[in-house]
Amino acid sequence: MTKVTLLTNIPAPYREKMHELVSEYLGGAYTVVYCAEKESDRKWKVKYGNYDKLVLSKISSNAVHNNPEVIKYLNKLNPDVVVIMGFYPTMLYAYLWSLFRAKKLIVFTDGTLQSESHLSLIHKIVRRIVFLKTSAFVGPSEASAALYESYGINKNKFYRTYLSVNNKLFINGSSIDKKFDLMFSGQFIDRKMPLFFVEIARLVKKQFGKCDVLILGNGILEKDILTLLDKYNIDYSFPGFINQEELPKYYAQSKLFLFPTVNDPWGVVVNEAMASGMPVITCSNAGVANDLVINDLNGYVLPLSEMVWVDKIVEIFNDDTTYKRLSVNAISHVQKYSFDNAAKGIVDAVNSVL
């Protein structure tokens, strides 16, 4: 039986079911090796799926993992196929192991041309070297495929593994009355642009007459966000960081989801919003743009201009027919972003290299 080992940073709640299904499809000959159980800036509480796993360290102070002992575990597991999710030192040790042991290598990255535009020449050279010995390439989006193509990778070697959430859990609240006009969910850091969200709320209230908002998350900008909301006299609810299993009841309470970002390879919060029946407004910096979020189908992809966003939001709120169309399409479109399609992308890549 062909043995597969996948190396990744830390457990993520939205990938547990995917790993479970991959293991099932591969007859149990699948092991996930985590560089750490947690990273210091993540507060996820993960309920592990039913698959074989190893954790190399308890907690990491950052996302640049360096675990030389991974070689020892690879020697013990002796996989036929190694899948690396990234290019941190731990992943590069695994790449070298696969090279010297003549094992098949698959690269799995969430990156996009936008998210990797800041990389140094050294980072790009490392990728080119690794890609020379890579048999198949995996990613969650068409933007990931475009990134690989920029390195000269044939698109026939690309396998898509959809980033997914449990759509059924979120759809249950899609028809209830909405308490909040706008919703934000994510880390309170500059890259996620929560202060842009607050300014949008202020201007929507000025034009529309009211704007009640729901904000989920945590981070260093928390005090700034709450201070501005109070200053602008915006009605808001801030329950803080919410665990995965509790999220659906919060998403169900909101009408429209905003996802501004300086740079985001995807945006799983958008899956959650759409599965709840919320149209989404985002920008081209997000991996979900023109992939999960289709302009005027289930939301809008707009330039990061406050008044452009405000005008579109007010237009939606004043047209119930448009809102209902966007909402129905959001639920419909997100269905193909499923755990099963996520797992099949990895399994198809494995089968292709054999």
Side-chain angles (χ1 to χ4, degrees), residues 2 6 23 28 58 80 115 166 185 210 244 256 269 316 341:
T2 300
L6 180 145
S23 180
K58 189 72 176 175
D80 304 290
S115 71
N166 190 335
S185 180
K210 77 177 192 73
Q244 198 75 14
L256 191 63
V269 290
I316 294 169
N341 282 336

Side-chain angles (χ1 to χ4, degrees), residues 300-334:
Y300 294 93
V301 180
L302 303 177
L304 284 169
S305 163
E306 290 176 0
M307 287 315 302
V308 170
W309 283 49
V310 171
D311 288 344
K312 180 58 68 175
I313 291 165
V314 173
E315 178 186 317
I316 294 169
F317 286 170
N318 284 325
D319 186 349
D320 194 50
T321 301
T322 294
Y323 178 81
K324 288 179 179 177
R325 173 177 61 83
L326 296 171
S327 178
V328 169
N329 289 340
I331 294 172
S332 175
H333 187 65
V334 79

Side-chain angles (χ1 to χ4, degrees), residues 1-15:
M1 182 179 291
T2 300
K3 294 187 291 184
V4 179
T5 295
L6 180 145
L7 287 92
T8 188
N9 286 6
I10 61 173
Y14 51 84
R15 281 201 162 113

Side-chain angles (χ1 to χ4, degrees), residues 118-294:
H118 67 287
L119 292 181
S120 69
L121 179 60
I122 295 298
H123 285 97
K124 292 179 179 179
I125 290 173
V126 167
R127 282 157 172 73
R128 288 190 181 278
I129 292 171
V130 172
F131 290 167
L132 286 173
K133 296 298 181 180
T134 302
S135 299
F137 301 82
V138 176
S141 66
E142 290 303 318
S144 298
L147 173 65
Y148 287 129
E149 286 186 79
S150 74
Y151 285 93
I153 305 303
N154 190 313
K155 196 166 185 179
N156 291 333
K157 290 188 174 183
F158 173 74
Y159 296 86
R160 181 165 179 174
T161 174
Y162 287 76
L163 268 169
S164 313
V165 299
N166 190 335
N167 294 326
K168 290 181 180 179
L169 281 182
F170 285 89
I171 199 172
N172 291 334
S174 61
S175 60
I176 72 168
D177 292 336
K178 310 300 181 186
K179 292 172 58 178
F180 303 101
D181 300 301
L182 303 177
M183 179 177 172
F184 177 93
S185 180
Q187 292 175 291
F188 297 162
I189 57 177
D190 287 328
R191 183 171 64 85
K192 298 289 188 176
M193 302 184 69
L195 299 181
F196 178 88
F197 172 87
V198 174
E199 290 302 316
I200 296 296
R202 177 181 70 85
L203 293 168
V204 168
K205 181 179 180 181
K206 185 177 179 181
Q207 279 202 33
F208 192 60
K210 77 177 192 73
C211 188
D212 299 337
V213 303
L214 173 63
I215 301 178
L216 306 184
N218 67 307
I220 59 173
L221 295 178
E222 179 180 320
K223 185 177 179 181
D224 296 332
I225 294 166
L226 300 182
T227 298
L228 280 177
L229 288 169
D230 289 331
K231 177 183 176 181
Y232 297 152
N233 198 28
I234 294 172
D235 290 327
Y236 68 90
S237 175
F238 172 56
F241 176 82
I242 303 299
N243 291 325
Q244 198 75 14
E245 63 272 12
E246 298 179 64
L247 284 174
K249 69 180 181 183
Y250 287 94
Y251 278 85
Q253 301 176 50
S254 302
K255 190 172 183 181
L256 191 63
F257 192 87
L258 304 190
F259 187 61
T261 181
V262 173
N263 184 1
D264 212 299
W266 185 252
V268 173
V269 290
V270 174
N271 294 69
E272 294 167 345
M274 287 197 169
S276 302
M278 262 194 288
V280 174
I281 297 180
T282 189
C283 58
S284 59
N285 296 339
V288 293
N290 306 309
D291 190 324
L292 180 52
V293 182
I294 307 297

